[in-house]
Amino acid sequence: MNKPAPTIDNHSVMFITPRPELTMVEGNGSWLTDNNGKRYLDFLQGWAVNCLGHCNPGMIEALNTQAKKLINPSPAFYNEPMIRLSNLLTENSCFNKVFFANSGAEANEGAIKLARKWGQSNKAGAFEIITFDHSFHGRTLATMSASGKPGWDTMFAPQVPGFPKAELNDIASVKKLVTDKTVAVMIEPVQGEGGVIPSTKEFMQSLRQFTKENNILLIVDEVQAGCGRTGKLFAYQHYDIEPDIMTLGKGIGGGVPLAALMATDAVACFVPGDQGGTYNGNPLMTAVGASVIEQLLAPGFLESVRTKGELLSKELLSISAEFKLEGERGEGLLRALMLSSDIGAKLVELARDRNPEGLLINSPRPNLLRFMPALNVSEAEIRQMCNILRELLKQVS
Ligand SMILES: *Cc1c(COP(=O)(O)O)cnc(C)c1O
Protein backbone atom coordinates (compact mmCIF):
# COMPACT_ATOMS: atom_id res chain seq x y z
CA MET A 1 0.00 0.00 0.00
CA ASN A 2 1.17 3.50 -0.82
CA LYS A 3 1.73 5.87 2.06
CA PRO A 4 -0.45 9.00 1.97
CA ALA A 5 1.03 12.16 0.46
CA PRO A 6 3.38 13.95 2.84
CA THR A 7 0.98 16.55 4.25
CA ILE A 8 1.68 17.74 7.78
CA ASP A 9 0.00 15.07 9.88
CA ASN A 10 1.14 16.14 13.34
CA HIS A 11 -1.57 14.59 15.50
CA SER A 12 0.84 12.29 17.33
CA VAL A 13 3.13 15.08 18.48
CA MET A 14 2.32 16.05 22.07
CA PHE A 15 1.01 19.59 22.24
CA ILE A 16 3.39 21.60 24.39
CA THR A 17 3.59 24.82 22.39
CA PRO A 18 1.73 26.36 19.44
CA ARG A 19 3.71 25.64 16.28
CA PRO A 20 3.10 27.01 12.77
CA GLU A 21 1.78 24.57 10.16
CA LEU A 22 5.12 23.90 8.54
CA THR A 23 8.14 21.71 9.07
CA MET A 24 11.76 22.76 8.96
CA VAL A 25 13.74 20.55 6.65
CA GLU A 26 17.16 22.06 6.06
CA GLY A 27 19.64 24.48 7.57
CA ASN A 28 22.77 26.21 6.38
CA GLY A 29 24.64 28.83 8.42
CA SER A 30 22.18 31.56 9.36
CA TRP A 31 19.43 30.17 7.13
CA LEU A 32 16.64 27.61 7.63
CA THR A 33 14.42 26.19 4.88
CA ASP A 34 10.91 24.81 5.42
CA ASN A 35 8.94 22.12 3.57
CA ASN A 36 7.61 24.69 1.10
CA GLY A 37 11.09 25.81 0.16
CA LYS A 38 10.72 29.14 1.99
CA ARG A 39 13.90 30.45 3.60
CA TYR A 40 14.22 32.07 7.01
CA LEU A 41 17.01 34.27 8.34
CA ASP A 42 17.56 32.62 11.71
CA PHE A 43 18.34 34.94 14.63
CA LEU A 44 17.04 32.34 17.10
CA GLN A 45 19.37 29.48 16.25
CA GLY A 46 17.51 26.93 18.36
CA TRP A 47 17.45 29.35 21.30
CA ALA A 48 21.13 30.32 21.22
CA VAL A 49 22.09 26.69 20.72
CA ASN A 50 23.59 26.61 17.22
CA CYS A 51 26.49 28.90 18.02
CA LEU A 52 28.19 28.03 14.70
CA GLY A 53 24.99 28.18 12.66
CA HIS A 54 23.16 25.33 10.97
CA CYS A 55 25.12 22.32 9.72
CA ASN A 56 28.58 23.63 10.57
CA PRO A 57 31.13 21.64 8.51
CA GLY A 58 33.53 21.10 11.44
CA MET A 59 30.73 19.67 13.57
CA ILE A 60 29.53 17.42 10.74
CA GLU A 61 33.07 16.14 10.26
CA ALA A 62 33.43 15.47 14.01
CA LEU A 63 30.06 13.64 14.12
CA ASN A 64 30.80 11.52 11.07
CA THR A 65 34.32 10.60 12.10
CA GLN A 66 33.30 9.71 15.64
CA ALA A 67 30.16 7.81 14.57
CA LYS A 68 32.31 5.48 12.50
CA LYS A 69 34.76 4.96 15.34
CA LEU A 70 32.83 4.61 18.60
CA ILE A 71 29.37 5.83 19.64
CA ASN A 72 28.94 4.58 23.19
CA PRO A 73 31.33 2.51 25.29
CA SER A 74 29.20 3.39 28.42
CA PRO A 75 30.07 5.95 31.06
CA ALA A 76 31.94 3.26 33.00
CA PHE A 77 34.94 3.88 30.72
CA TYR A 78 36.97 6.89 29.70
CA ASN A 79 36.77 7.80 26.04
CA GLU A 80 39.04 10.01 23.96
CA PRO A 81 36.66 12.91 23.05
CA MET A 82 35.42 13.11 26.67
CA ILE A 83 38.99 13.66 27.85
CA ARG A 84 39.84 16.06 25.02
CA LEU A 85 36.81 18.28 25.68
CA SER A 86 37.33 18.20 29.47
CA ASN A 87 40.90 19.41 29.00
CA LEU A 88 39.85 22.13 26.56
CA LEU A 89 37.32 23.43 29.09
CA THR A 90 39.61 23.38 32.12
CA GLU A 91 42.62 24.82 30.23
CA ASN A 92 40.51 27.80 29.21
CA SER A 93 38.69 28.51 32.48
CA CYS A 94 39.29 28.72 36.23
CA PHE A 95 37.75 25.28 36.79
CA ASN A 96 39.51 21.94 37.26
CA LYS A 97 36.84 19.26 36.83
CA VAL A 98 34.08 18.60 34.30
CA PHE A 99 31.00 16.37 34.33
CA PHE A 100 29.09 16.12 31.06
CA ALA A 101 25.29 16.02 30.92
CA ASN A 102 22.67 16.14 28.19
CA SER A 103 20.80 19.37 28.89
CA GLY A 104 21.21 22.64 30.73
CA ALA A 105 18.62 21.64 33.30
CA GLU A 106 20.51 18.43 34.02
CA ALA A 107 23.81 20.31 34.40
CA ASN A 108 22.09 22.68 36.84
CA GLU A 109 20.61 19.74 38.78
CA GLY A 110 24.18 18.51 39.09
CA ALA A 111 25.33 21.94 40.31
CA ILE A 112 22.58 21.98 42.94
CA LYS A 113 23.51 18.47 44.09
CA LEU A 114 27.21 19.33 44.18
CA ALA A 115 26.56 22.47 46.26
CA ARG A 116 24.34 20.52 48.69
CA LYS A 117 26.94 17.78 48.96
CA TRP A 118 29.63 20.38 49.66
CA GLY A 119 27.34 21.87 52.31
CA GLN A 120 26.95 18.47 53.96
CA SER A 121 30.71 17.95 54.10
CA ASN A 122 31.84 21.52 54.79
CA LYS A 123 29.03 23.60 56.22
CA ALA A 124 26.96 21.55 58.69
CA GLY A 125 24.32 20.55 56.15
CA ALA A 126 23.69 24.01 54.68
CA PHE A 127 21.55 23.53 51.55
CA GLU A 128 19.82 26.76 50.61
CA ILE A 129 20.78 28.26 47.26
CA ILE A 130 19.89 31.90 46.71
CA THR A 131 18.69 32.53 43.14
CA PHE A 132 17.15 35.56 41.43
CA ASP A 133 13.78 36.90 40.39
CA HIS A 134 13.20 36.35 36.66
CA SER A 135 16.05 33.84 36.43
CA PHE A 136 15.71 30.69 34.35
CA HIS A 137 17.55 27.48 35.22
CA GLY A 138 15.55 24.74 33.48
CA ARG A 139 12.41 22.64 33.56
CA THR A 140 13.09 19.83 36.01
CA LEU A 141 11.36 20.18 39.37
CA ALA A 142 14.46 21.44 41.19
CA THR A 143 15.55 23.80 38.41
CA MET A 144 11.99 25.16 38.07
CA SER A 145 12.06 25.79 41.81
CA ALA A 146 15.40 27.54 41.42
CA SER A 147 14.02 29.67 38.59
CA GLY A 148 12.42 33.04 39.32
CA LYS A 149 9.87 32.88 36.54
CA PRO A 150 6.56 34.37 37.66
CA GLY A 151 3.95 31.63 38.18
CA TRP A 152 6.40 28.76 38.31
CA ASP A 153 6.20 28.53 42.11
CA THR A 154 2.69 27.04 41.96
CA MET A 155 2.71 25.30 38.57
CA PHE A 156 3.72 21.82 39.75
CA ALA A 157 3.44 22.39 43.48
CA PRO A 158 4.92 21.55 45.84
CA GLN A 159 8.26 23.02 44.84
CA VAL A 160 11.64 21.69 45.82
CA PRO A 161 12.45 23.79 48.91
CA GLY A 162 15.58 25.85 49.48
CA PHE A 163 15.69 28.48 46.73
CA PRO A 164 15.03 31.94 48.20
CA LYS A 165 14.92 34.68 45.54
CA ALA A 166 16.96 37.88 45.54
CA GLU A 167 16.91 40.74 43.05
CA LEU A 168 19.50 40.97 40.31
CA ASN A 169 22.05 43.77 40.72
CA ASP A 170 20.98 44.39 44.33
CA ILE A 171 23.58 43.05 46.77
CA ALA A 172 21.49 44.05 49.81
CA SER A 173 18.69 41.76 48.59
CA VAL A 174 21.16 38.86 48.61
CA LYS A 175 22.60 39.63 52.04
CA LYS A 176 19.09 39.83 53.49
CA LEU A 177 18.40 36.19 52.53
CA VAL A 178 21.57 34.66 53.96
CA THR A 179 21.16 32.29 56.92
CA ASP A 180 23.40 29.59 58.40
CA LYS A 181 21.68 27.25 55.92
CA THR A 182 22.93 29.17 52.87
CA VAL A 183 25.34 27.10 50.80
CA ALA A 184 25.44 28.94 47.45
CA VAL A 185 24.24 31.72 45.22
CA MET A 186 23.32 30.73 41.66
CA ILE A 187 23.25 33.41 38.98
CA GLU A 188 23.02 33.87 35.22
CA PRO A 189 25.70 36.46 34.32
CA VAL A 190 23.21 37.67 31.71
CA GLN A 191 19.60 36.72 32.42
CA GLY A 192 18.48 35.27 29.08
CA GLU A 193 14.83 34.21 29.33
CA GLY A 194 14.27 37.04 31.79
CA GLY A 195 14.81 39.51 28.96
CA VAL A 196 18.59 39.76 28.37
CA ILE A 197 19.51 41.58 31.59
CA PRO A 198 23.26 41.66 32.29
CA SER A 199 24.56 41.59 35.85
CA THR A 200 26.60 44.73 36.44
CA LYS A 201 30.33 44.41 37.08
CA GLU A 202 29.97 46.15 40.42
CA PHE A 203 27.26 43.70 41.51
CA MET A 204 29.08 40.58 40.35
CA GLN A 205 32.31 41.64 42.05
CA SER A 206 30.63 42.45 45.35
CA LEU A 207 28.67 39.19 45.12
CA ARG A 208 31.93 37.26 44.69
CA GLN A 209 33.58 39.11 47.57
CA PHE A 210 30.59 38.66 49.86
CA THR A 211 30.15 34.94 49.10
CA LYS A 212 33.86 34.30 49.57
CA GLU A 213 33.93 36.07 52.94
CA ASN A 214 30.92 34.07 54.12
CA ASN A 215 31.96 30.62 52.90
CA ILE A 216 29.16 30.55 50.30
CA LEU A 217 29.68 29.06 46.84
CA LEU A 218 29.12 31.07 43.70
CA ILE A 219 27.49 29.14 40.85
CA VAL A 220 27.27 30.74 37.40
CA ASP A 221 24.64 29.32 35.06
CA GLU A 222 26.21 29.98 31.67
CA VAL A 223 23.91 27.66 29.75
CA GLN A 224 22.83 30.59 27.57
CA ALA A 225 25.57 33.21 28.11
CA GLY A 226 28.58 30.87 27.93
CA CYS A 227 30.56 29.46 25.00
CA GLY A 228 31.41 32.66 23.19
CA ARG A 229 27.91 34.15 23.19
CA THR A 230 28.97 37.33 25.01
CA GLY A 231 32.26 37.74 23.13
CA LYS A 232 34.41 35.97 25.70
CA LEU A 233 34.61 32.19 25.96
CA PHE A 234 32.75 32.38 29.29
CA ALA A 235 30.60 35.26 30.50
CA TYR A 236 32.12 35.33 34.01
CA GLN A 237 35.39 36.39 32.37
CA HIS A 238 33.91 39.87 31.79
CA TYR A 239 33.84 40.45 35.54
CA ASP A 240 37.38 39.58 36.71
CA ILE A 241 35.99 37.03 39.15
CA GLU A 242 36.40 33.29 39.63
CA PRO A 243 33.21 31.37 40.48
CA ASP A 244 33.27 27.96 42.21
CA ILE A 245 30.87 26.16 39.88
CA MET A 246 29.75 26.80 36.30
CA THR A 247 27.19 25.11 34.11
CA LEU A 248 27.19 25.08 30.31
CA GLY A 249 24.60 23.91 27.82
CA LYS A 250 23.13 25.19 24.57
CA GLY A 251 26.20 26.52 22.66
CA ILE A 252 28.61 23.88 23.96
CA GLY A 253 27.02 21.28 21.68
CA GLY A 254 26.38 23.68 18.80
CA GLY A 255 22.99 21.98 18.31
CA VAL A 256 23.50 18.47 19.70
CA PRO A 257 22.42 17.56 23.25
CA LEU A 258 25.45 18.28 25.41
CA ALA A 259 25.90 20.18 28.67
CA ALA A 260 28.56 20.42 31.35
CA LEU A 261 28.94 20.93 35.06
CA MET A 262 32.32 22.39 36.01
CA ALA A 263 33.87 22.96 39.42
CA THR A 264 37.13 23.91 41.07
CA ASP A 265 39.13 21.17 42.80
CA ALA A 266 38.15 22.63 46.18
CA VAL A 267 34.45 22.11 45.44
CA ALA A 268 34.39 18.97 43.25
CA CYS A 269 33.44 16.69 46.16
CA PHE A 270 31.27 14.04 44.50
CA VAL A 271 32.22 10.48 45.40
CA PRO A 272 31.22 7.38 43.42
CA GLY A 273 27.45 6.92 43.62
CA ASP A 274 26.64 10.63 43.91
CA GLN A 275 26.39 11.53 40.24
CA GLY A 276 25.98 9.78 36.92
CA GLY A 277 23.73 9.40 33.90
CA THR A 278 23.55 6.89 31.08
CA TYR A 279 24.81 9.22 28.37
CA ASN A 280 27.26 11.30 30.38
CA GLY A 281 30.41 12.04 28.42
CA ASN A 282 29.37 9.92 25.45
CA PRO A 283 31.97 10.28 22.69
CA LEU A 284 29.55 11.17 19.88
CA MET A 285 28.42 14.36 21.62
CA THR A 286 31.72 15.28 23.27
CA ALA A 287 33.50 14.95 19.90
CA VAL A 288 31.11 17.59 18.55
CA GLY A 289 31.62 19.74 21.66
CA ALA A 290 35.39 19.60 21.18
CA SER A 291 34.99 20.76 17.58
CA VAL A 292 32.75 23.64 18.74
CA ILE A 293 35.14 24.83 21.46
CA GLU A 294 38.16 24.53 19.13
CA GLN A 295 36.36 26.71 16.57
CA LEU A 296 35.43 29.28 19.22
CA LEU A 297 39.09 29.41 20.31
CA ALA A 298 40.45 29.86 16.76
CA PRO A 299 42.49 33.09 16.50
CA GLY A 300 40.25 36.12 16.01
CA PHE A 301 36.94 34.31 16.44
CA LEU A 302 35.85 35.71 19.82
CA GLU A 303 37.08 39.14 18.75
CA SER A 304 34.80 38.91 15.70
CA VAL A 305 31.87 38.08 18.00
CA ARG A 306 32.56 41.27 19.94
CA THR A 307 32.81 43.33 16.72
CA LYS A 308 29.55 41.91 15.41
CA GLY A 309 27.91 42.42 18.79
CA GLU A 310 28.87 46.08 18.58
CA LEU A 311 27.45 46.33 15.08
CA LEU A 312 24.17 44.73 16.15
CA SER A 313 24.02 47.02 19.19
CA LYS A 314 24.64 50.12 17.06
CA GLU A 315 22.01 49.09 14.51
CA LEU A 316 19.41 48.33 17.20
CA LEU A 317 20.08 51.69 18.83
CA SER A 318 19.49 53.50 15.57
CA ILE A 319 16.27 51.52 15.02
CA SER A 320 15.25 52.48 18.53
CA ALA A 321 15.83 56.15 17.72
CA GLU A 322 14.05 55.93 14.35
CA PHE A 323 10.93 54.34 15.85
CA LYS A 324 11.05 56.01 19.27
CA LEU A 325 11.60 52.73 21.14
CA GLU A 326 13.24 52.17 24.51
CA GLY A 327 16.81 51.29 23.51
CA GLU A 328 18.70 48.00 23.53
CA ARG A 329 20.85 45.97 25.89
CA GLY A 330 22.90 42.80 26.09
CA GLU A 331 26.43 41.50 25.76
CA GLY A 332 28.11 40.29 22.56
CA LEU A 333 25.58 38.50 20.35
CA LEU A 334 22.93 38.08 23.04
CA ARG A 335 20.92 41.26 22.70
CA ALA A 336 17.42 42.67 23.14
CA LEU A 337 15.55 45.58 21.62
CA MET A 338 13.15 47.22 24.06
CA LEU A 339 9.85 48.12 22.43
CA SER A 340 7.55 50.88 23.58
CA SER A 341 4.48 48.61 23.80
CA ASP A 342 3.58 44.91 24.00
CA ILE A 343 4.01 44.17 20.28
CA GLY A 344 6.74 41.53 20.66
CA ALA A 345 4.59 38.51 19.81
CA LYS A 346 3.00 40.33 16.86
CA LEU A 347 6.43 41.20 15.43
CA VAL A 348 7.68 37.63 15.89
CA GLU A 349 4.72 36.34 13.88
CA LEU A 350 4.95 38.99 11.15
CA ALA A 351 8.68 38.33 10.83
CA ARG A 352 8.19 34.59 10.44
CA ASP A 353 5.31 34.89 8.00
CA ARG A 354 6.79 37.63 5.80
CA ASN A 355 7.64 36.78 2.17
CA PRO A 356 9.60 35.83 0.24
CA GLU A 357 12.02 35.31 3.14
CA GLY A 358 11.03 34.96 6.77
CA LEU A 359 12.94 36.13 9.82
CA LEU A 360 13.14 34.16 13.08
CA ILE A 361 13.38 36.21 16.26
CA ASN A 362 11.83 35.83 19.69
CA SER A 363 10.09 37.80 22.36
CA PRO A 364 10.76 36.46 25.88
CA ARG A 365 8.78 39.39 27.28
CA PRO A 366 5.86 41.11 25.52
CA ASN A 367 7.73 44.42 25.22
CA LEU A 368 11.06 43.23 23.90
CA LEU A 369 12.68 41.26 21.11
CA ARG A 370 15.67 38.98 21.67
CA PHE A 371 18.41 38.25 19.15
CA MET A 372 20.80 35.30 19.42
CA PRO A 373 22.21 34.70 15.95
CA ALA A 374 24.96 32.24 15.09
CA LEU A 375 28.27 33.61 16.35
CA ASN A 376 29.58 33.39 12.77
CA VAL A 377 26.66 35.39 11.36
CA SER A 378 27.90 37.86 8.71
CA GLU A 379 27.75 41.63 9.04
CA ALA A 380 25.58 41.67 5.91
CA GLU A 381 23.11 39.30 7.60
CA ILE A 382 22.99 41.54 10.68
CA ARG A 383 22.18 44.53 8.46
CA GLN A 384 19.62 42.49 6.53
CA MET A 385 17.93 41.46 9.78
CA CYS A 386 17.79 45.08 10.93
CA ASN A 387 16.29 46.24 7.65
CA ILE A 388 13.58 43.59 7.92
CA LEU A 389 12.91 44.85 11.46
CA ARG A 390 12.53 48.39 10.16
CA GLU A 391 10.04 47.18 7.55
CA LEU A 392 8.01 45.31 10.19
CA LEU A 393 8.04 48.20 12.65
CA LYS A 394 6.71 50.50 9.89
CA GLN A 395 3.96 47.97 9.29
CA VAL A 396 2.78 47.87 12.91
CA SER A 397 3.13 51.57 13.68
C1 LIG B 1 18.06 27.14 28.39
C2 LIG B 1 18.58 27.38 29.75
C3 LIG B 1 18.58 26.34 30.71
C4 LIG B 1 17.98 24.99 30.45
O1 LIG B 1 18.65 24.29 29.46
P1 LIG B 1 17.94 23.00 28.80
O2 LIG B 1 18.99 22.44 27.90
O3 LIG B 1 16.73 23.51 28.07
O4 LIG B 1 17.58 22.09 29.90
C5 LIG B 1 19.16 26.62 31.93
N1 LIG B 1 19.68 27.81 32.22
C6 LIG B 1 19.69 28.83 31.32
C7 LIG B 1 20.31 30.13 31.69
C8 LIG B 1 19.12 28.65 30.06
O5 LIG B 1 19.09 29.66 29.18
Side-chain angles (χ1 to χ4, degrees), residues 103-106 108 136-139 188 193 221 223-224 250:
S103 69
E106 199 191 344
N108 283 336
F136 180 80
H137 299 294
R139 291 177 172 279
E188 293 165 86
E193 302 307 303
D221 174 349
V223 171
Q224 186 159 151
K250 297 198 167 99

Side-chain angles (χ1 to χ4, degrees), residues 11 36 66 94 105 113 128 130 137 142 160 176 178 194 314 337 354 366 375 397:
H11 74 276
N36 302 309
Q66 190 59 43
C94 64
K113 284 169 63 179
E128 285 183 351
I130 297 171
H137 299 294
V160 175
K176 218 166 55 191
V178 171
K314 206 180 79 197
L337 174 67
R354 105 184 247 289
L375 303 182
S397 66

